[in-house]
Each structure stands twice: as structure tokens, then as C-alpha cells.
Amino acid sequence: QVQLVESGGGLVQPGGSLRLSCAASRIIFSIYAMGWYRQAPGKERELVAGISSGHITNYADSVKGRFSISRDNAKNTVYLQMNSLKPEDTAVYYCRAVLGTVVAPGGVGYWGQGTQVTVSS
């Protein structure tokens, strides 16, 4: 069974940093576009950052300059480095793997179970 396992979430002070990891198994990782989504209570799930198989990245405007997505195909892992965290970044963060050039909530792909990120004083 395909598995995407997120880790690295937790509680952090405003202005702090976290690095999320998503380890994939039983997929040909290198051919998937990967991404991080987040969902806060009462809000739609939104794309935070994506990275193609060619290592081209894209970010939501709200996180540009603060977050950085990367992938290590040798480790079947995608990362999200989150700096200068704000309370509005609080959400469950989900890893997404999708066949194709650009990550999307639909289509042929898989979701991780999610990891909670809470930014609070």
C-alpha cells in the first residue's frame, strides 16, 4: 500500500521555525509532483508549496519568502522548511503526491495523514 508519513509538526512560538518531512513508500517517488497542503478549522484545504519532479517550486503568496520546499529523491522524502511562523500558519499540514507536472487536490495521487502545526504564544 502507498504510504506518505508526515513528521515534524508541533507547537512553536511566533517567529519560530519548523521543518516538516514527508517520507513516501511504495511509489516511484521521482516521477511524482509533491506538495504540502494545509487546512485550518472551517477553511478549505489550500496548497502551501509544490515541487515538480524537475525541482521547480511554487508557493502560496502567504508563505513566499518564509517557507521553502525541497525534495530528496534518494530518500523518497519531501521537506517543508517553515521560518518566521505566524499564528495564521496554524493548521494541519498534509503531504500530497500526484502523478503529473503540478500538484492538485484531485487527480491520481495520495495524501498523508497530516501533522498538526500550532503557532502560538
Side-chain angles (χ1 to χ4, degrees), residues 1-61:
Q1 183 69 275
V2 172
Q3 193 166 300
L4 303 176
V5 180
E6 301 99 331
S7 61
L11 175 65
V12 66
Q13 298 281 339
S17 297
L18 287 172
R19 190 175 80 154
L20 305 184
S21 299
C22 172
S25 61
R26 292 183 284 276
I27 63 170
I28 305 174
F29 182 81
S30 62
I31 68 172
Y32 279 77
M34 302 296 299
W36 289 94
Y37 288 73
R38 67 186 181 187
Q39 188 167 28
K43 299 183 68 177
E44 293 186 355
R45 189 171 297 187
E46 64 172 343
L47 178 66
V48 176
I51 185 166
S52 73
S53 61
H55 299 265
I56 299 171
T57 60
N58 60 284
Y59 299 92
D61 288 343

Side-chain angles (χ1 to χ4, degrees), residues 76-98:
N76 285 5
T77 301
V78 62
Y79 305 94
L80 185 67
Q81 179 67 47
M82 304 186 294
N83 300 322
S84 302
L85 283 161
K86 304 174 180 180
E88 49 263 46
D89 295 318
T90 296
V92 177
Y93 284 70
Y94 297 92
C95 183
R96 172 71 168 166
V98 64

